[in-house]
Amino acid sequence: MSNMIIEDNNLEKNYSKDDSPLVSILMAVYKPNKKWIVEQLDSLNEQTYENIELLVYDDCPEFPISEELIGKYITNFSYVVVSGTKNEGSNKAFEELTKIANGEFFAYCDQDDIWEKEKITLMIDKFYEKDVTLVCSDLSIIDENGQKIAKSITEIRKRIIYKSGYNLAKELLMTNFVTGCAMIVKRDISMKAIPFEKTLVHDQWIAIIAALNGKIEFINRPLVRYRQHSSNQTGILKDVHDKKTYYSKRIEDFIYRYKSLEKRLKYAELEEHIKSCLIWLDSRKKYFFKPNIKNLKVMIKYRDFHKVSIIIEIVLPFLPECIFKYIIKMAKKGVL
C-alpha cells in the first residue's frame, strides 16, 4: 500500500474463541491527548464481545503515537498500527483502515471517547435481523474531565432525530443522525463506499450507502460517552461565524457537495431528489445576493429539505451582522 508504513504487533489471523464474527475496530488518531486515549483504549479492551481486532491509523507522522502505549492497554485482542506518511485527515485514515481490515463488521472509533462495555455485543445482536446493514446508537456527552453533561446527544444537537428502517437515504443526505463512533457496519457496505466521498464525513457517506442497500437499526441507548471539547472536528454550524462563512459553508459547499453526489449516486430513488435539491440550493444562492420573489417562492416550495435554513435565509440579507452572529451563537448552543 502506498504512502504508509504498517507496523504489525501480535496480529493473529485465526480466531478460535467462539463462532462469533470478527469485528474490526478502526481507530484514527492525530496527536491524541494521552489521558483520553488511555481511557478509550481501556474501554475497547474491556468490551464484552470477544472476537475483535484493532487497527489504528496514525495520521500525524511528525508526532507518532507510541505503539508501546497501545500494547500496554490492549491486551485482550490483536492490534495493528498503520503510520501515514503525511496528514490527510480522518476520512482518508478511515478509508485506508477499511481497505485492510479483516473483520466481517467494522466499528469506527475516535481517539477521545469512551465505549460502554456492551457496545459491540448489543450492536452485533441486531445484525441477526433481516436486511440490517448498519446499527447505530445514541451517545451520552462528557466534558474534558470525563464528567457527564448530557444523557443523550439529542439534548445538545436538537436537530438529530434517530430513525430505524428502510429507505432512509434521502433523509441522511441532508441531516445525518448516524455518528461514526456509535455505529457498526457490515464489511461489504463499507467496501461499497470506497472511495469515501470527499464532500461528506465518513459516517454520513457510509450511512447513505447502508441505507441504499438495506435497513438501518437504531439502539435507543447511549453506548458511547462522546467527549465534547474544543478540538472536536464536527459540530453544529462548524466554522460558521458570520454571513460570509454561512454562505460558504451552508450554501456554496452544499452546492459543490450535491453536484458531486449527483455524479456518484446513480440510484433511481435519489436522482430526482438530488436534482430538486440543486434547484433549491441555486435559488438560495441567488436570493442571498439579491433577494427577490421568484427565488423566494422556490425556496419555500422546497422548504422541507431544511426548514430552519429557509426561516433564517428569508431574513438573512436584511439582518445586521451583529444580530446574525447572535443567532449563530444560539444555534451552536442548541437553543435554536
Side-chain angles (χ1 to χ4, degrees):
M1 189 176 301
S2 60
N3 293 331
M4 65 172 110
I5 305 164
I6 298 180
E7 301 170 11
D8 194 338
N9 184 305
N10 191 35
L11 180 63
E12 299 175 359
K13 293 295 183 182
N14 298 313
Y15 291 82
S16 58
K17 291 179 181 178
D18 52 42
D19 295 326
S20 56
L22 176 63
V23 175
S24 297
I25 299 176
L26 310 182
M27 175 189 279
V29 300
Y30 180 86
K31 294 177 67 174
N33 176 294
K34 184 177 179 180
K35 181 178 183 296
W36 295 348
I37 196 168
V38 165
E39 291 178 344
Q40 176 68 292
L41 292 171
D42 267 337
S43 74
L44 302 183
N45 199 57
E46 294 174 1
Q47 289 294 300
T48 58
Y49 193 86
E50 294 186 342
N51 199 8
I52 299 172
E53 68 171 3
L54 171 65
L55 289 83
V56 179
Y57 189 102
D58 187 355
D59 198 35
C60 186
E62 295 84 6
F63 300 96
I65 189 171
S66 166
E67 187 176 349
E68 289 73 23
L69 179 71
I70 297 173
K72 181 178 179 180
Y73 294 96
I74 297 299
T75 59
N76 290 332
F77 46 85
S78 62
Y79 66 88
V80 173
V81 177
V82 180
S83 301
T85 58
K86 61 179 180 179
N87 173 231
E88 296 190 84
S90 61
N91 258 27
K92 189 63 176 178
F94 283 125
E95 181 180 312
E96 295 299 341
L97 291 176
T98 297
K99 292 176 182 178
I100 63 173
N102 299 300
E104 294 180 48
F105 297 91
F106 296 161
Y108 294 86
C109 180
D110 295 334
Q111 65 187 24
D112 46 19
D113 302 322
I114 298 173
W115 288 12
E116 305 299 349
K117 293 181 180 181
E118 65 275 23
K119 174 180 184 280
I120 294 178
T121 298
L122 292 175
M123 287 189 161
I124 290 298
D125 284 347
K126 289 291 184 180
F127 282 101
Y128 291 106
E129 299 179 17
K130 183 180 178 182
D131 297 334
V132 174
T133 53
L134 182 150
V135 176
C136 62
S137 77
D138 197 358
L139 309 88
S140 60
I141 309 299
I142 58 176
D143 62 18
E144 296 184 351
N145 298 314
Q147 298 300 309
K148 186 176 291 186
I149 58 177
K151 294 180 180 179
S152 168
I153 195 172
T154 58
E155 293 179 26
I156 63 171
R157 297 188 183 176
K158 298 183 183 299
R159 295 186 183 90
I160 293 179
I161 300 175
Y162 286 114
K163 295 185 179 181
S164 291
Y166 299 92
N167 304 315
L168 295 176
K170 288 181 183 179
E171 297 180 47
L172 286 162
L173 278 172
M174 184 58 64
T175 304
N176 183 36
F177 60 81
V178 175
T179 306
C181 61
M183 75 176 186
I184 293 183
V185 61
K186 283 186 172 179
R187 174 192 180 88
D188 66 316
I189 297 300
S190 286
M191 297 307 292
K192 285 181 180 180
I194 293 175
F196 288 178
E197 172 60 37
K198 294 180 180 180
T199 66
L200 292 173
V201 179
H202 74 285
D203 51 13
Q204 186 173 7
W205 174 244
I206 292 172
I208 290 167
I209 301 302
L212 288 168
N213 287 275
K215 178 184 177 184
I216 289 178
E217 190 67 33
F218 168 64
I219 298 175
N220 190 17
R221 179 174 171 180
L223 297 179
V224 173
R225 281 173 257 172
Y226 179 80
R227 197 181 300 271
Q228 188 88 18
H229 56 83
S230 58
S231 299
N232 286 129
Q233 288 194 44
T234 59
I236 296 174
L237 296 173
K238 180 179 181 290
D239 296 329
V240 174
H241 312 291
D242 50 25
K243 289 186 180 183
K244 181 179 179 180
T245 51
Y246 181 92
Y247 171 76
S248 174
K249 297 298 179 181
R250 300 296 298 175
I251 299 178
E252 193 171 51
D253 282 2
F254 269 62
I255 292 172
Y256 179 74
R257 174 189 299 178
Y258 271 81
K259 285 183 178 180
S260 178
L261 295 175
E262 186 178 35
K263 295 176 181 178
R264 293 202 62 182
L265 296 175
K266 299 296 184 180
Y267 293 81
E269 64 191 273
L270 291 183
E271 287 182 341
E272 188 62 33
H273 177 83
I274 292 174
K275 180 180 178 181
S276 296
C277 196
L278 282 167
I279 294 172
W280 171 67
L281 287 164
D282 183 62
S283 70
R284 290 171 60 196
K285 176 181 178 179
K286 292 176 180 176
Y287 185 87
F288 182 89
F289 290 108
K290 189 176 182 180
N292 59 79
I293 297 298
K294 178 182 177 181
N295 287 308
L296 178 59
K297 287 181 177 179
V298 177
M299 289 163 63
I300 294 173
K301 177 181 177 180
Y302 294 108
R303 62 188 179 276
D304 286 344
F305 282 136
H306 203 278
K307 292 179 181 178
V308 175
S309 293
I310 300 308
I311 293 172
I312 292 173
E313 290 170 24
I314 286 175
V315 297
L316 178 58
F318 313 104
L319 284 177
E321 189 73 56
C322 60
I323 294 178
F324 180 71
K325 288 180 178 179
Y326 178 77
I327 292 173
I328 293 299
K329 184 179 180 180
M330 292 298 101
K332 289 183 177 181
K333 288 183 177 181
V335 177
L336 299 177

